[in-house]
Amino acid sequence: MDILTVLPSNFGYVIFTFLYSWIMLGYLAVKVGAARKKYDVKYPTMYSDKEQVFNCIQRAHQNTLEVYPQWLVFQTIAALVYPLSASVLGAIWVTSRLSYAWGYYTGDPAKRMNGAYGYIGYFGVIFLSISVALQLLGVF
């Protein structure tokens, strides 16, 4: 069985969404690396006792990594049946993580909420995944 015949025709958009998320994660990682140099925070130290801005930069990356595996699972499940909707919701979530990080990078943790719109994308793929599960179970 050829994978191109099994996946929905719009699944290419999903793959591009995954690539976009990979670029976002790389960007956040590079920002942490640069902040380590700037604020002289050596490995394996995760947080600084002196530099609040470094901690904010580190947390923006760490928080994204904490939620990323769950997002990948729900994004993939949703995309198997709703590839275009999942791609749009995924792009919203990925873009929101950049807004979240840029707000956090100011050193004012409250500004991380600039990325709160990402919950639209995150909960959207969760709801679509629930829909897929219910369809598989024959509920509707």
Side-chain angles (χ1 to χ4, degrees):
M1 191 178 311
D2 183 7
I3 192 72
L4 295 178
T5 61
V6 174
L7 292 174
S9 60
N10 288 338
F11 202 82
Y13 294 116
V14 178
I15 295 169
F16 281 124
T17 304
F18 288 143
L19 290 170
Y20 180 35
S21 74
W22 175 74
I23 291 166
M24 176 268 300
L25 285 177
Y27 171 81
L28 297 182
V30 166
K31 294 297 278 184
V32 172
R36 282 188 175 282
K37 278 186 176 181
K38 180 178 180 178
Y39 297 108
D40 195 35
V41 178
K42 306 280 189 238
Y43 286 106
T45 305
M46 287 290 286
Y47 298 102
S48 173
D49 293 331
K50 303 173 202 159
E51 299 294 345
Q52 174 72 8
V53 174
F54 172 80
N55 293 339
C56 289
I57 294 167
Q58 169 67 11
R59 277 303 304 152
H61 185 227
Q62 186 64 39
N63 181 264
T64 300
L65 291 174
E66 290 165 2
V67 71
Y68 191 67
Q70 295 90 347
W71 174 78
L72 282 174
V73 169
F74 293 122
Q75 178 72 15
T76 303
I77 293 168
L80 290 172
V81 176
Y82 305 105
L84 196 54
S85 297
S87 295
V88 170
L89 292 166
I92 290 169
W93 183 79
V94 173
T95 303
S96 79
R97 297 315 295 183
L98 293 168
S99 299
Y100 174 88
W102 294 329
Y104 229 154
Y105 293 169
T106 66
D108 178 2
K111 291 186 178 173
R112 73 190 190 284
M113 297 312 292
N114 293 348
Y117 65 90
Y119 286 112
I120 295 166
Y122 187 68
F123 289 128
V125 294
I126 291 171
F127 290 136
L128 289 179
S129 294
I130 292 168
S131 174
V132 171
L134 293 173
Q135 289 175 62
L136 286 169
L137 293 171
V139 174
F140 68 86

